[in-house]
Amino acid sequence: MDVDTGIDDALALVYLLSRPEVHLQAITCTAGNVGARQVALNSLALLELCGRQGVEVAIGAEAPLEIPLVTTEETHGPQGIGYAELPAPAQEISPRHAVDVWVEDVRAHPGEITGLITGPLTNFALALRREPELPRLLKGLVIMGGSFYYQGNTTPTAEWNVSVDPHAAREVFAAYRGLPEDKLPVVCALETTERIEMVPEHLRRLGEAAGAGPELVLPEQAEGLRSSSANPIVACLSDAIRFYMEFHRLYEQGYVAHMHDAFAACAAVGRTPFTTRLATVDVETGSPLLAGTTVADFRGLWGLPPNARIVSSNDPERCFEELISSVGALARRSMSYGPPAAG
């Protein structure tokens, strides 16, 4: 899992940790929602919150390939996880660089690892420069990024992850051109991830699924109100997601939270229905007006082979059923080992 752990990345990570059949090989961190070191600390703290030990967390790129880094604390909070506050993690950040993790682990397990990228594509682009065979060595790749003939969430035409490092995104899509269909990345873009719209009712149900009682995060409550849940996972996610809902309301999108990365995680493990459409994707890097815009040729007008499978439909209700039931079960189990000790 390659992340820039903000709020929706956090839910995606907790979800993956809730799935008993999923082996999380490693977490690689890139700068995006917040700086790369903070991403790593957030990821380690969430692992410990969920009672998971021994998952390697490595820092990678701390800036995009060619342009200055832009972070988005106004969207995800000063530390990237909204109002949530977690103890400093006991586990150390890996001495390995994220690119080494990508290359060495995939080489060691050919055909076995599915990559899930929920942040900018910088780490993976650098890994491809080191090992161009990664697309063939991976079992598969799921990317949260892009928007195709759909309003962007960073500029009028660009999605956040791609806009942070459009040059990296362009290199990644170019590396997949001409590969067999089953090797092409599954791309979860805004037109389907914005359908995964978390509302207060979902948080209420999460608290109940955890056995902690209904978790009430409501638009009429004071901004910044902290959760009183005795369940540490529910409280953390509630505090993070309240911030995200307040952000969306500030930008006149309603008291909701778009869980882009959580959908990508469900898709990566095959536990939510979706369909895809083959396309040839490229990314604009030269135009100041359109930088980060992802363009999909669905009709073969460029005369180039496909390099992506873009998610064309999904089922938000079933996605939330999966997230709530699985994360709720993990949160219920977490009470057997209690909240993390203060660091």
Side-chain angles (χ1 to χ4, degrees):
M1 187 179 188
D2 196 291
V3 295
D4 62 339
T5 306
I7 294 165
D8 53 331
D9 309 73
L11 179 59
L13 174 55
V14 174
Y15 167 72
L16 290 179
L17 296 173
S18 77
R19 296 305 316 160
E21 76 280 11
V22 172
H23 169 74
L24 187 57
Q25 178 73 14
I27 298 172
T28 51
C29 304
T30 187
N33 290 322
V34 288
R37 179 173 176 79
Q38 187 63 51
V39 169
L41 294 174
N42 290 348
S43 301
L44 284 168
L46 288 164
L47 287 168
E48 293 182 11
L49 175 72
C50 295
R52 183 64 65 88
Q53 305 295 324
V55 178
E56 182 176 12
V57 176
I59 292 177
E62 300 193 60
L65 295 181
E66 298 186 25
I67 61 176
L69 173 65
V70 177
T71 57
T72 183
E73 286 83 357
E74 72 279 5
T75 306
H76 291 270
Q79 294 181 306
I81 49 175
Y83 295 121
E85 295 177 1
L86 290 172
Q91 182 178 320
E92 298 288 334
I93 296 168
S94 173
R96 288 204 292 174
H97 190 278
V99 171
D100 296 325
V101 175
W102 267 109
V103 173
E104 293 168 9
D105 287 20
V106 173
R107 281 176 176 168
H109 302 278
E112 297 178 15
I113 292 177
T114 297
L116 170 62
I117 304 177
T118 62
L121 289 152
T122 318
N123 284 339
F124 194 61
L126 291 170
L128 284 166
R129 291 180 182 183
R130 176 91 61 82
E131 176 50 273
E133 289 298 307
L134 279 180
R136 294 175 177 84
L137 292 170
L138 282 165
K139 180 180 180 180
L141 181 67
V142 176
I143 296 170
M144 190 282 125
S147 58
F148 299 95
Y149 310 107
Y150 184 88
Q151 185 82 3
N153 64 354
T154 304
T155 74
T157 60
E159 176 275 331
W160 167 257
N161 287 337
V162 175
S163 71
V164 169
D165 195 344
H167 299 87
R170 192 173 199 201
E171 287 191 22
V172 170
F173 284 114
Y176 276 87
R177 193 167 292 156
L179 267 62
E181 183 175 334
D182 65 347
K183 289 293 186 181
L184 300 182
V186 172
V187 181
C188 306
L190 288 184
E191 57 268 28
T192 48
T193 65
E194 285 196 346
R195 286 167 46 81
I196 310 303
E197 192 171 80
M198 182 170 260
V199 298
E201 172 66 9
H202 293 128
L203 280 168
R204 184 192 67 79
R205 288 166 50 195
L206 177 63
E208 292 176 341
E215 182 65 11
L216 301 180
V217 175
L218 303 171
E220 62 268 22
Q221 292 172 336
E223 290 194 355
L225 184 68
R226 299 294 297 278
S227 174
S228 60
S229 177
N231 187 290
I233 292 177
V234 171
C236 174
L237 293 175
S238 176
D239 287 344
I241 292 166
R242 181 187 293 276
F243 188 99
Y244 214 24
M245 288 180 168
E246 291 173 4
F247 167 80
H248 284 77
R249 179 171 62 184
L250 180 65
Y251 285 87
E252 300 181 347
Q253 294 176 292
Y255 200 69
V256 302
H258 294 141
M259 288 299 166
H260 314 276
D261 299 340
F263 168 70
C266 291
V269 299
R271 296 202 44 98
T272 191
F274 64 92
T275 61
T276 61
R277 188 178 177 190
L278 282 173
T280 305
V281 172
D282 207 339
V283 182
E284 177 59 42
T285 59
S287 164
L289 183 65
L290 299 175
T293 301
T294 45
V295 181
D297 178 8
F298 292 108
R299 298 167 56 194
L301 298 177
W302 288 334
L304 298 171
N307 59 359
R309 292 175 286 171
I310 299 173
V311 175
S312 54
S313 69
N314 58 358
D315 189 327
E317 182 177 352
R318 289 181 61 183
C319 184
F320 276 115
E321 287 174 0
E322 170 65 13
L323 288 166
I324 291 166
S325 62
S326 195
V327 172
L330 173 65
R332 184 184 290 264
R333 295 193 300 271
S334 77
M335 295 304 290
S336 66
Y337 55 79

